[in-house]
Amino acid sequence: MSTLPDQGFSQVSVTDEAAALIRRLVLDHGPVMFFQSGGCCDGSAPMCWPKGEFRLGERDVRLGVVEGAEYWIGGDQYERWRHTRLVLDVVRGRGAGFSLEAPEGVRFIIRSELCSVEELAALGEAPLPRGRDQR
Amino acid sequence: MRYVSPNSPGSLVQYPDRYDHYINGEWVPPARGRYFENVSPVTGRPFIQIARGTHEDVERALDAAHAAKAAWGATPAAARAQILNRIADLMEQNLELLAVSETWDNGKPIRETLAADLPLAIDHFRYFAGVIRANEGTAAELDANTVTYHIKEPLGVVGQIIPWNFPLLMAAWKLAPALAAGNCVVLKPAEQTPASIMLWVSLVGHLLPKGVLNIVNGFGVEAGKPLAQSPRISKVAFTGETSTGRLIMQYASENIIPVTLELGGKSPNIFFADVMAQDDAFRQKALEGFGMFMLNQGEVCTCPSRALIQRSIYKDFLDLAVERAKLTVPGDPLDTSTRLGAQASNDQLEKILSYIDIGQKEGATLRMGGERVRLGGELVEGYYVAPTVFEGHNQMRIFQEEIFGPVVSVTSFEDEADAIKIANDTLYGLGAGLWTRSVHDAYRVGRAVQAGRVWTNCYHLYPAHAAFGGYKHSGIGRENHHMMLGHYQQTKNLLVSYDPNPMGFF
């Protein structure tokens, strides 16, 4: 799988605590990726998987790269979230789906900020990469 | 009254120190010897240790299931049905015990587990005990000497991964059709809520032949994933969120096996102007319907988390609805008068609060609630959230993503076409509600809303024999109905010639 180049504007950032957790997970599991989930139970939460575990779809959107890990979201969901920036954080918790951090007794979580007018304009000029760009 | 907390003197529920896996009718320690702490959301404190399973344990459970599948699949439907009925009877005899455990494990009020979770789960086993007796294949005469027979067969061994919001009921929804159809099961409970399922199997497990039902606990990544990936299952059923749903379909594609998925929603609850036409019982019913976002603390895939109110009644209806909703406050889940309990986990609590935050940043108006509630005494560290009502518009994140908390986002619509447009402007299509005095409007709108279940002048009823499942991103399959048997059966076609003469080809 080829890796997309880093782009200037990222729609996701990471707290120090979450970055430290990513580094720990990479030591145990190798490179990881994130996918922003939606829907029931543990939805609306990030999933952290071994990089390459998940087959990206054509329309999936890469929000950015956090601590070396690509952060993706489904294309349809992105259309409804595109006016917000995500902040990847971590809280004490108990697992979700097949996300790698569950056994650590913690859970990745997102917090959200509104994009500024300038950020939205930048996104309009240089849209984020899609899954199809990776092939 | 208040039920005594489990593990305290005088409580109905006394858990052992820990639960192992349940494999081949026995308690089996995890292969790697590790356990994890299970926390009660009522108090925020751990109360039991649970086996932390890995692929070795999954393989052992699959060994047991495969060893049992031939005999169980050949067991007459009448005998399988009798076992399901006995499971239901034993659950009924232990209803209070199981309800207290479910409340302790999940945080939901005992009022709900006593009146809904347990009675529905019990009825579910009885329903599938009934329909499997009436399940039949078909035979058709193709010509005078040729007959085609369609015979239903079990799939064999299936994997099931269930969620934490209705642990026992969701187990019943998945287990009853699978077992009725003659399959052996490896079940992976949610790591947030494993305890009451293990208590349940300690009561009823002996009724099933060894190996027919196997329960492996652990974290999704360590136990759920090897189950979903296994080439030794013939089907996987999952309830949860969309990205894990996609991952499970991906794994299933590697093994070419079917999946059923229930992936949640963002259900619209539509109130037409005529609900306010009279100040009568029906108006009160509709106002109660608005408040259904609080059921199970909003931790329901079909939570009516978007309320759509017709503009001409918007203010009057919402004022009354908010006034009514304010009567519900979080309380001790084990107290029978409590109507709103604890969120299931700390991360769930944090997620809900993060959504309340983005709702305010997006400019939604907070009408009530919006904060964590600290209860006193031993509940001080429990995960309680005040019922929250936002006003805003359908493009806001709080209208588009499942929050899974007692949070409703309210907006208005002009007319029927506008209502349908807003209702369908979502990625999901699991549930919907609509409220009107006009049967004509009700039918037309009900058909136009793209959701698998449209509650009409009611909400949050889950009777067996009403099919439940999603359109769009909400999943694949229909549970809670005898059509679910089809998702757990293979079709054998015998194409038989009764003509003794050569066909004349060669």
Side-chain angles (χ1 to χ4, degrees):
Chain A
M1 190 185 288
S2 68
T3 304
L4 294 168
D6 274 342
Q7 84 286 357
F9 178 66
S10 175
Q11 228 168 321
V12 59
S13 57
V14 59
T15 64
D16 292 345
E17 293 77 11
L21 177 59
I22 294 171
R23 290 193 295 273
R24 279 212 306 281
L25 291 172
V26 169
L27 281 180
D28 287 347
H29 303 279
V32 299
M33 66 172 287
F34 287 88
F35 199 94
Q36 176 61 46
S37 197
C40 194
C41 303
D42 308 309
S44 319
M47 296 293 156
C48 179
W49 298 318
K51 183 177 167 66
E53 174 87 12
F54 181 78
R55 186 191 181 279
L56 289 165
E58 294 268 300
R59 290 176 300 116
D60 292 339
V61 175
R62 194 184 74 175
L63 290 174
V65 179
V66 286
E67 200 63 23
E70 296 188 331
Y71 196 117
W72 292 82
I73 186 172
D76 295 333
Q77 199 170 332
Y78 178 68
E79 292 309 313
R80 293 160 193 276
W81 289 45
R82 62 185 311 154
H83 60 290
T84 56
R85 269 188 292 118
L86 306 185
V87 182
L88 181 66
D89 197 1
V90 63
V91 296
R92 184 170 52 82
R94 178 60 84 219
F98 302 157
S99 201
L100 286 171
E101 79 282 15
E104 314 275 324
V106 291
R107 177 77 191 103
F108 284 113
I109 186 174
I110 50 156
R111 308 190 189 283
S112 305
E113 303 287 343
L114 290 186
C115 288
S116 67
V117 174
E118 294 76 23
E119 287 167 339
L120 288 174
L123 279 170
E125 283 172 22
L128 297 177
R130 299 262 172 175
R132 59 175 164 264
D133 300 328
Q134 215 179 28
R135 303 228 167 92
Chain B
M1 69 165 279
R2 184 189 187 276
Y3 284 90
V4 177
S5 299
N7 288 347
S8 301
S11 175
L12 290 171
V13 180
Q14 303 294 335
Y15 295 108
D17 293 339
R18 62 194 193 190
Y19 278 125
D20 287 319
H21 303 308
Y22 184 79
I23 296 172
N24 205 33
E26 292 165 6
W27 298 99
V28 177
R32 299 191 189 179
R34 294 184 298 186
Y35 295 81
F36 66 95
E37 300 274 8
N38 185 25
V39 171
S40 170
V42 177
T43 60
R45 292 183 204 140
F47 65 97
I48 189 171
Q49 291 196 319
I50 303 290
R52 180 175 163 184
T54 50
H55 70 91
E56 298 93 331
D57 303 305
V58 171
E59 289 302 322
R60 193 162 173 176
L62 287 166
D63 290 344
H66 278 277
K69 73 176 181 182
W72 181 242
T75 300
R80 294 200 302 260
Q82 190 172 42
I83 291 174
L84 294 188
N85 276 322
R86 284 182 181 150
I87 290 173
D89 291 346
L90 202 46
M91 289 172 73
E92 196 162 48
Q93 288 159 25
N94 291 280
L95 193 152
E96 270 187 297
L97 169 94
L98 290 167
V100 168
S101 176
E102 190 79 326
T103 286
W104 197 245
D105 204 8
N106 168 277
K108 62 179 69 195
I110 188 80
R111 180 173 174 266
E112 286 179 19
T113 49
L114 286 171
D117 297 58
L118 266 298
L120 286 169
I122 291 162
D123 186 58
H124 213 71
F125 282 103
R126 291 188 174 136
Y127 175 75
F128 278 99
V131 296
I132 195 61
R133 301 293 304 277
N135 188 239
E136 56 192 359
T138 59
E141 182 186 274
L142 299 179
D143 59 42
N145 288 314
T146 315
V147 179
T148 174
Y149 299 97
H150 296 112
I151 299 166
K152 300 294 182 187
E153 296 176 348
L155 293 175
V157 175
V158 300
Q160 302 182 326
I161 300 175
I162 58 168
W164 47 259
N165 56 344
F166 293 84
L168 285 174
L169 183 59
M170 292 301 102
W173 278 24
K174 296 233 183 317
L175 289 173
L179 296 173
N183 297 282
C184 293
V185 178
V186 177
L187 180 85
K188 209 303 254 165
E191 50 266 53
Q192 290 88 347
T193 54
S196 50
I197 291 170
M198 302 317 282
L199 177 64
W200 169 82
V201 82
S202 75
L203 290 171
V204 307
H206 69 280
L207 296 172
L208 285 158
K210 287 179 186 300
V212 170
L213 168 62
N214 307 278
I215 305 178
V216 176
N217 273 300
F219 297 112
V221 62
E222 293 177 346
K225 184 171 150 184
L227 177 60
Q229 282 182 309
S230 174
R232 300 175 71 200
I233 57 173
S234 298
K235 180 239 167 79
V236 60
F238 171 72
T239 294
E241 29 67 50
T242 53
S243 65
T244 306
R246 277 177 65 175
L247 199 52
I248 282 176
M249 290 186 84
Q250 180 188 310
Y251 296 149
S253 79
E254 293 171 25
N255 295 320
I256 314 187
I257 59 169
V259 298
T260 45
L261 301 169
E262 202 273 84
L263 304 178
K266 190 68 187 175
S267 301
N269 204 8
I270 309 168
F271 299 90
F272 285 98
D274 64 4
V275 299
M276 291 287 278
Q278 294 177 53
D279 187 5
D280 59 357
F282 180 68
R283 180 195 279 193
Q284 291 305 314
K285 189 182 185 191
L287 290 165
E288 179 189 45
F290 175 94
M292 288 291 181
F293 73 93
M294 297 180 284
L295 186 101
N296 207 47
Q297 298 72 244
E299 292 170 347
V300 194
C301 308
T302 41
C303 175
S305 55
R306 291 188 295 150
L308 281 44
I309 304 171
Q310 194 154 15
R311 205 154 290 150
S312 59
I313 60 160
Y314 181 82
K315 183 179 182 308
D316 292 346
F317 182 85
L318 187 57
D319 285 348
L320 290 171
V322 166
E323 188 183 324
R324 189 181 176 112
K326 281 182 174 168
L327 300 174
T328 297
V329 292
D332 184 345
L334 283 173
D335 189 318
T336 51
S337 66
T338 295
R339 296 196 287 187
L340 187 67
Q343 308 305 141
S345 63
N346 179 62
D347 39 319
Q348 188 56 29
L349 169 77
E350 293 275 358
K351 189 175 81 182
I352 294 164
L353 297 176
S354 80
Y355 265 92
I356 291 171
D357 177 58
I358 185 66
Q360 290 175 296
K361 284 175 181 160
E362 284 188 294
T365 306
L366 186 62
R367 271 296 288 267
M368 61 176 272
E371 75 276 329
R372 181 176 186 176
V373 174
R374 290 282 187 181
L375 300 178
E378 68 166 344
L379 310 185
V380 70
E381 295 300 324
Y383 314 132
Y384 300 89
V385 174
T388 299
V389 177
F390 274 117
E391 291 178 84
H393 62 76
N394 200 53
Q395 303 314 312
M396 293 174 165
R397 288 260 307 270
I398 54 171
F399 281 81
Q400 288 295 336
E401 262 305 319
E402 199 160 338
I403 298 171
F404 236 54
V407 182
V408 64
S409 304
V410 187
T411 194
S412 64
F413 65 87
E414 185 59 41
D415 55 18
E416 182 181 312
D418 196 28
I420 293 166
K421 179 168 163 284
I422 297 170
N424 289 339
D425 183 10
T426 172
L427 298 178
Y428 306 100
L430 188 57
L434 70 91
W435 302 81
T436 174
R437 295 171 194 267
S438 162
V439 291
H440 308 102
D441 293 354
Y443 183 75
R444 214 169 42 243
V445 176
R447 294 298 304 272
V449 173
Q450 292 160 4
R453 154 86 52 92
V454 181
W455 279 283
T456 306
N457 293 336
C458 59
Y459 208 96
H460 270 335
L461 301 176
Y462 299 90
H465 205 50
F468 182 86
Y471 284 24
K472 302 197 302 195
H473 285 202
S474 291
I476 301 169
R478 291 294 178 272
E479 300 189 276
N480 222 10
H481 189 271
H482 66 74
M483 64 179 75
M484 195 63 192
L485 285 176
H487 290 295
Y488 284 103
Q489 289 173 321
Q490 190 61 272
T491 299
K492 168 61 58 68
N493 172 235
L494 295 180
L495 184 53
V496 182
S497 171
Y498 292 102
D499 186 345
N501 299 308
M503 293 170 72
F505 275 10
F506 299 105

